[in-house]
Amino acid sequence: RMRDAPVAPHGSHRGLRLIGAVEQGTDLGSFRSGDLLAALDFLASLVTAIATGEGSDADALQIGALPFLYQLPGPQTQSPMIRRWHPKLRKELRDAVTVEAVEDAWSRVVPNWRRLASAVFRGYWARDSAGQLRIALDTEVVCGLWLLMACCEHSCDPNCALLHDGRDLWLSVLRDLEPGEPVTTSYLGVESLLLPLPARRSELFGKWGFECGCSRCASEAAGRKAGDAAP
């Protein structure tokens, strides 16, 4: 396995980077899901890394690689999420990174980032339906952008898996690789990988805007055509 290098420190549903990036006393409100909070937490981390060139893991950051990552084609549109949250950032961050600069950076994040569940369980305090504090055990939802992961191709039969240990992202090889063979991971979760070809392609097109042509999809598509052509 190989440890990947973060473009900016990952965000999580704990929201600690978001808390540190907004003006003191800012009302963050409530969040519909841990995924949304993790995404905003990473947005705050990204802005901080661009503004300062560093983060909690400054020696490992690859923020300078961001302009070279894939960007979806077509004109860039305004992001309501960024336009809502940029005014809440600390003044030094707002002055250092304009809202337009954040939107440009985010347009390179979206095609390449991942939402993952950490493989390590964490304990924390949570309130139950009666308002009582209790100890809970759960995995951490993380969102982030890592350099090697961003360069990997997608496959519905990947040769590498992504594993987050709560601190670092690791690429774990699932089988032996041939010299020159592309390193692939899956954009889909385990449950989605079990779906038939049309469902997998529909999810990939809806979220990432492409029709998968990996070896597994090509083989299954050829099988479907052969079956349709059979008398």
Side-chain angles (χ1 to χ4, degrees):
R1 65 179 188 169
M2 179 181 297
R3 183 170 60 185
D4 207 344
V7 173
H10 71 266
S12 86
H13 76 287
R14 293 185 296 165
L16 299 182
R17 303 191 195 282
L18 179 61
I19 293 172
V22 299
E23 293 284 7
Q24 188 173 4
T26 298
D27 181 10
L28 299 181
S30 59
F31 295 88
R32 298 189 302 273
S33 69
D35 287 0
L36 175 60
L37 180 53
L40 287 170
D41 201 45
F42 180 62
L43 175 64
S45 171
L46 181 70
V47 174
T48 303
I50 294 173
T52 64
E54 59 184 33
S56 59
D57 303 308
D59 57 333
L61 294 183
Q62 300 292 326
I63 192 65
L66 186 62
F68 302 99
L69 297 181
Y70 176 73
Q71 185 179 40
L72 292 174
Q76 302 303 314
T77 59
Q78 293 184 357
S79 167
M81 179 184 75
I82 292 173
R83 297 271 165 168
R84 176 188 174 191
W85 282 94
H86 188 268
K88 299 182 181 183
L89 298 175
R90 300 197 315 267
K91 184 178 185 302
E92 60 267 29
L93 294 178
R94 299 197 309 269
D95 291 345
V97 191
T98 65
V99 66
E100 292 81 10
V102 178
E103 288 174 332
D104 180 71
W106 199 247
S107 71
R108 299 181 187 277
V109 168
V110 172
N112 300 294
W113 70 336
R114 295 291 177 88
R115 176 270 186 200
L116 301 163
S118 171
V120 179
F121 282 89
R122 291 180 179 269
Y124 60 94
W125 290 99
R127 292 191 182 276
D128 61 17
S129 58
Q132 298 296 316
L133 280 174
R134 299 185 182 277
I135 295 177
L137 189 65
D138 200 359
T139 56
E140 183 178 7
V141 176
V142 299
C143 282
L145 180 61
W146 294 266
L147 190 58
L148 296 179
M149 178 216 70
C151 296
C152 291
E153 297 180 6
H154 162 79
S155 174
C156 293
D157 184 23
N159 53 38
C160 283
L162 300 175
L163 176 68
H164 200 281
D165 62 9
R167 174 183 171 87
D168 296 309
L169 181 73
W170 298 84
L171 276 74
S172 299
V173 178
L174 300 176
R175 58 176 180 270
D176 292 339
L177 304 181
E178 298 295 331
E181 180 182 355
V183 176
T184 60
T185 63
S186 176
Y187 293 178
L188 301 174
V190 175
E191 292 183 357
S192 294
L193 284 174
L194 299 176
L195 297 173
L197 173 66
R200 294 199 313 272
R201 281 185 165 175
S202 176
E203 182 173 342
L204 287 166
F205 189 83
K207 292 182 178 179
W208 284 278
F210 71 92
E211 181 175 290
C212 185
C214 71
S215 58
R216 177 186 171 189
C217 287
S219 175
E220 292 181 12
R224 292 170 65 92
K225 289 182 179 179
D228 293 340

